[in-house]
Amino acid sequence: MIGLPNSGKSTIFNALTTLSVPCHPYPFCTIEPNIGVIPVPDERLAGLAQVLKPEKVTPTTIEFVDIAGLIKDAHKGEGLGNKFLSHIRNVDAIAHVIRCFGTENIPHVYSGIDPKRDAEIVETEILISDLEIVEDRLRKIERLAKVSKEKGEAEHGLLLKIREALERGAFVDMEQYDENEKQLIRSFNLIATKPLFYIANIDEEARNNLPLPMIEELVKKNRRRAVYICGKLEEDLSALPDQEKVSYMELYNMEKMSIENVIRVGYEALDLVTFYTVVGKEIRAWTIPANTACVKAAGKIHTDMEKGFIKADVMNADDFIRCGSEHAAKEKGLLRLEGRDYIVKDGDILHIRFS
């Protein structure tokens, strides 16, 4: 989670994790990153639990990192910027918190509310920081080229394309590269290659006037998703006992917490899928990257399962819930046997056969 100081990152992080990290209306309240491991909301897992009534239900998780606010000239070290930028390099995706609430009690580090300006300040610092890394790497490759023209030729071409994108003020579109190129680009450890989505931190009054044109303009221009959340309200609700929380949500006409959308969109930004196992008295959800082969999914459960993989019984969780039992699903031909190269789908239930 990135953004300007006083944009509400720590407030939203508190709502996500209920860890109650320090959150005060002055810049750089957060210095070291706060890390929270959060269960992913999963209606299928709840449905499976309702049918099977297991003793233990284990959801999959996603890790959120609350990184200190970035300001203009962060790449030069302003506001400990270089340190904070280095923290962002260690994550897999970015949630950019943009302030859309008033300034009455919490001062804005710049003048007034302007989401477009705020987004550009933060993302420009990232682009400049990455550009410096790219330029430095290009210089090294060009020095090597004087010794051998073959050395670093592929890397040189990729770096030139990336530099062109960064100089245009754009993040790197990883979809235009093949898998080998992506692997090489990841070795550069650039922030602008990571998927990014916006969290628009609104006030209570704005909840009835969504979407906000100023955020939708950013969404359309940069082809990114946005999640709207009233951070303070969600932080207050997350601290309440369940029954009291439900009562307050009814008062605010909330069917579910907006914070759940933040988790789901983050999960999707990482291009992850969920599969399930039912072993003994436990149902468990597992996370793997999309397009993972069944044998690799087996290794996620246990290395022995990958090494001794034979076959996997596969069934869709929605089919299982609809049928009410494995026996009923099998009778309808919904249980199938798959080999090691089968690509695991989101919502699959796997039973691994291994030696």
Side-chain angles (χ1 to χ4, degrees):
M1 295 172 64
I2 66 168
L4 288 175
N6 291 353
S7 59
K9 289 182 289 72
S10 295
T11 300
I12 292 169
F13 183 81
N14 285 346
L16 280 164
T17 62
T18 62
L19 290 181
S20 295
V21 300
C23 177
H24 303 294
Y26 55 81
F28 311 117
C29 169
T30 303
I31 300 295
E32 293 302 322
N34 296 301
I35 299 173
V37 179
I38 299 146
V40 175
D42 190 336
E43 291 174 5
R44 284 185 309 230
L45 185 63
L48 288 170
Q50 199 169 2
V51 172
L52 292 167
K53 297 180 172 48
E55 289 182 5
K56 188 177 181 183
V57 178
T58 305
T60 190
T61 59
I62 186 169
E63 185 175 279
F64 277 83
V65 185
D66 174 25
I67 290 167
L70 293 170
I71 59 171
K72 193 174 181 181
D73 291 333
H75 70 282
K76 296 178 182 176
E78 289 293 324
L80 299 179
N82 283 322
K83 181 179 181 181
F84 300 159
L85 284 163
S86 70
H87 294 153
I88 306 171
R89 297 192 191 282
N90 297 325
V91 304
D92 299 308
I94 301 167
H96 186 170
V97 179
I98 298 177
R99 179 169 175 168
C100 302
F101 61 88
T103 59
E104 193 175 325
N105 300 317
I106 302 172
H108 196 294
V109 287
Y110 300 106
S111 56
I113 302 303
D114 187 340
K116 183 173 181 290
R117 175 206 60 204
D118 293 355
E120 285 177 355
I121 287 171
V122 171
E123 291 177 27
T124 297
E125 292 306 312
I126 287 169
L127 295 172
I128 294 172
S129 174
D130 278 357
L131 194 54
E132 289 175 352
I133 291 171
V134 169
E135 294 281 12
D136 185 53
R137 198 144 180 161
L138 277 168
R139 281 191 292 271
K140 287 176 183 174
I141 289 172
E142 284 160 6
R143 281 199 301 271
L144 284 171
K146 292 175 183 176
V147 180
S148 169
K149 287 187 178 179
E150 292 179 7
K151 283 190 176 181
E153 201 171 307
E155 187 174 334
H156 187 262
L158 282 176
L159 286 166
L160 288 176
K161 285 180 73 173
I162 290 168
R163 183 175 71 179
E164 190 271 330
L166 298 176
E167 286 177 340
R168 278 191 290 109
F171 271 46
V172 179
D173 180 6
M174 293 292 279
E175 293 307 307
Q176 63 178 293
Y177 300 101
D178 63 33
E179 281 309 313
N180 290 332
E181 289 172 328
K182 284 178 184 177
Q183 195 170 343
L184 183 53
I185 291 169
R186 289 187 192 105
S187 73
F188 304 155
N189 201 21
L190 303 174
I191 300 171
T193 60
K194 302 177 190 296
L196 183 149
F197 68 97
Y198 297 119
I199 301 177
N201 192 7
I202 60 174
D203 49 33
E204 287 185 33
E205 291 72 27
R207 288 177 61 250
N208 300 317
N209 297 298
L210 298 177
L212 300 179
M214 49 193 174
I215 294 295
E216 294 308 302
E217 185 184 337
L218 281 172
V219 167
K220 186 176 179 182
K221 178 189 171 188
N222 298 318
R223 292 179 298 154
R224 293 173 181 152
R225 297 180 66 179
V227 180
Y228 291 92
I229 178 169
C230 179
K232 189 68 184 82
L233 174 62
E234 301 263 337
E235 181 188 37
D236 292 342
L237 287 172
S238 66
L240 295 174
D242 287 345
Q243 192 55 51
E244 205 173 328
K245 185 191 298 181
V246 169
S247 301
Y248 273 98
M249 285 174 66
E250 288 173 358
L251 188 65
Y252 284 100
N253 295 317
M254 293 171 66
E255 290 184 10
K256 62 181 179 181
M257 299 271 285
S258 299
I259 212 72
E260 290 186 21
N261 293 333
V262 173
I263 299 168
R264 285 197 179 96
V265 172
Y267 197 74
E268 289 164 13
L270 292 166
D271 198 21
L272 301 173
V273 298
T274 302
F275 74 91
Y276 307 94
T277 55
V278 183
V279 180
K281 296 176 180 178
E282 179 186 17
I283 302 174
R284 182 164 181 170
W286 303 84
T287 295
I288 51 172
N291 301 311
T292 296
C294 196
V295 65
K296 292 296 180 185
K300 176 83 176 184
I301 303 167
H302 199 287
T303 52
D304 287 350
M305 288 188 171
E306 183 176 355
K307 289 173 186 172
F309 184 92
I310 301 170
K311 292 283 183 182
D313 295 303
V314 182
M315 186 190 318
N316 179 271
D318 291 329
D319 289 339
F320 184 93
I321 293 164
R322 191 165 52 251
C323 293
S325 71
E326 183 179 333
H327 178 72
K330 195 181 292 184
E331 282 193 332
K332 292 184 178 180
L334 297 172
L335 182 69
R336 60 193 189 279
L337 202 59
E338 299 286 1
R340 62 189 294 113
D341 295 326
Y342 167 73
I343 300 300
V344 177
K345 308 291 190 301
D346 187 49
D348 279 349
I349 302 172
L350 302 183
H351 176 73
I352 307 296
R353 301 184 187 185
F354 68 106
S355 60

